[in-house]
Amino acid sequence: MIRLILVALFLICFLILSIPIMIFEWIFKKFNSYAADLSSLRIVQWAFRVVLFLAGTKVTVIGEDRVPKDQAVLYIPNHQSYFDIIITYSRCPGLTGYISKDFLEKVPLLSVWMKRLYCLFLDRSNIKAGLKTILTGIEYIKNGISICIFPEGTRNPHPEEGLLPFKEGSMKIAEKTGCPIIPIAITNSQSIWEQHMPYMRKSHVIVEYGEPIYIKDLDKEQRKFLGAYTRDKITEMLAQHQQENIPTI
C-alpha cells in the first residue's frame, strides 16, 4: 500500500506543481514550437520514470534500436495494465501522441498535459467522432509525430490466455500514411498493480520492440488483415518471453 500512496502523492504533486511549467511551455511554444514540444515530452517522461521507480518496477528492454529515429511511426503494443502507457511513453525517442479513451479528457490537469503532447481521445460510441480522431492521427504522422494505439481496445484481464482480437480499424493510420508499424510486446506489467489491487508490487517487466512492419512489403492477404498480422508478430515475441521464464521480483 505504501507504493500506491507514494505514486498517488507524486502524481498529484506533479500535476499541481507543473501548472507554472505548462504556462511557461505555452509561452515558449509561441517562439519555438518544436523545442517546447520536446521539452514537454522530456518532462513527462521524467515523471513517468519516477513513477516506475516508486512502484519498484524493473524494465528490461529488447530491440529498441529497431525503432526508426528519422520518421514518425505507429506503435502497436499489447495491453494488460495501466502501466503499459507509463512504461512505453517513458521510452519514446520523439514526439508521440497516444490514442486513449475519451473519459481521460475530463480529468483536470492530466488532460491538459495529454493534449499538450498530442494525445487523442477516442469516443468508441460515436463513429463520426472516431473517424475524426483517426484523421487527426493521420495528420500528426504526416507532421512527424508518432502515434501509439492499443488495438485490443481495452486492458486484457487474462493475458495468459492470449491477446484479445485486434481491431483492424486501429491500423488505418499506417494504411493511409505508409508509416512503419512498430509491434511492441509487453510481458508481466499486470503484476505491478492489476493482479493484486490496491497493492503495488515490485515487478520485472519485459518490453520488446519488433522489427518495423512496412505495409508496402506485405502481400495482399497480409495487408487485408493487417491487425491480425501484427497481432501474430506480438504473440511470437510474448511466447519467447515466456520461454525466458521472467521472474517476479
Side-chain angles (χ1 to χ4, degrees):
M1 186 63 74
I2 293 178
R3 293 184 186 279
L4 176 61
I5 293 173
L6 289 175
V7 167
L9 286 175
F10 172 76
L11 288 175
I12 292 171
C13 289
F14 172 78
L15 289 174
I16 294 174
L17 296 177
S18 67
I19 294 176
I21 297 175
M22 285 191 286
I23 295 173
F24 171 79
E25 296 282 10
W26 177 75
I27 297 173
F28 184 28
K29 189 176 176 69
K30 293 182 178 296
F31 298 93
N32 191 326
S33 179
Y34 178 76
D37 287 345
L38 198 60
S39 173
S40 295
L41 171 68
R42 301 307 179 209
I43 289 170
V44 172
Q45 287 181 320
W46 169 82
F48 281 176
R49 287 193 290 270
V50 172
V51 168
L52 292 173
F53 172 77
L54 294 176
T57 304
K58 175 185 176 181
V59 181
T60 295
V61 181
I62 303 170
E64 198 166 24
D65 58 330
R66 296 168 181 161
V67 181
K69 303 298 189 295
D70 58 348
Q71 64 182 125
V73 303
L74 178 65
Y75 293 106
I76 299 291
N78 60 307
H79 196 19
Q80 55 186 239
S81 169
Y82 289 114
F83 275 83
D84 295 335
I85 299 169
I86 295 172
I87 292 168
T88 55
Y89 197 76
S90 66
R91 308 204 66 87
C92 291
L95 298 177
T96 304
Y98 276 53
I99 296 182
S100 63
K101 294 180 179 178
D102 60 335
F103 79 88
L104 290 174
E105 192 173 12
K106 300 178 178 64
V107 180
L109 297 179
L110 175 62
S111 61
V112 177
W113 271 111
M114 293 180 71
K115 291 176 182 177
R116 179 76 183 79
L117 292 167
Y118 299 99
C119 291
L120 300 170
F121 303 95
L122 182 63
D123 182 358
R124 300 185 188 280
S125 64
N126 188 324
I127 296 177
K128 185 176 180 180
L131 177 59
K132 183 178 179 181
T133 298
I134 297 300
L135 291 175
T136 303
I138 290 171
E139 287 303 310
Y140 282 175
I141 289 285
K142 290 180 178 179
N143 290 322
I145 301 166
S146 296
I147 293 292
C148 180
I149 186 169
F150 295 95
E152 290 174 279
T154 188
R155 286 179 298 115
N156 184 354
H158 303 291
E160 70 281 356
E161 297 178 4
L163 301 179
L164 299 174
F166 277 20
K167 299 183 183 301
E168 291 292 338
S170 62
M171 316 303 289
K172 290 296 183 183
I173 292 175
E175 291 174 354
K176 296 298 184 181
T177 63
C179 72
I181 298 170
I182 306 297
I184 304 177
I186 306 172
T187 293
N188 213 39
S189 60
Q190 81 279 8
S191 70
I192 303 172
W193 191 39
E194 279 80 3
Q195 282 184 347
H196 31 67
M197 288 182 178
Y199 303 100
M200 285 185 180
R201 306 293 190 197
K202 293 179 67 175
S203 300
H204 180 195
V205 178
I206 286 187
V207 177
E208 182 171 1
Y209 296 82
E211 293 289 348
I213 299 172
Y214 294 91
I215 297 178
K216 62 182 177 62
D217 295 334
L218 303 180
D219 61 37
K220 184 177 180 181
E221 190 70 11
Q222 291 167 339
R223 292 184 187 184
K224 183 177 180 181
F225 300 103
L226 186 57
Y229 177 81
T230 306
R231 182 180 184 272
D232 289 343
K233 294 296 181 182
I234 295 175
T235 298
E236 290 173 7
M237 290 188 283
L238 293 174
Q240 183 62 39
H241 297 177
Q242 293 303 317
Q243 292 178 14
E244 295 171 2
N245 192 23
I246 304 166
T248 300
I249 300 174

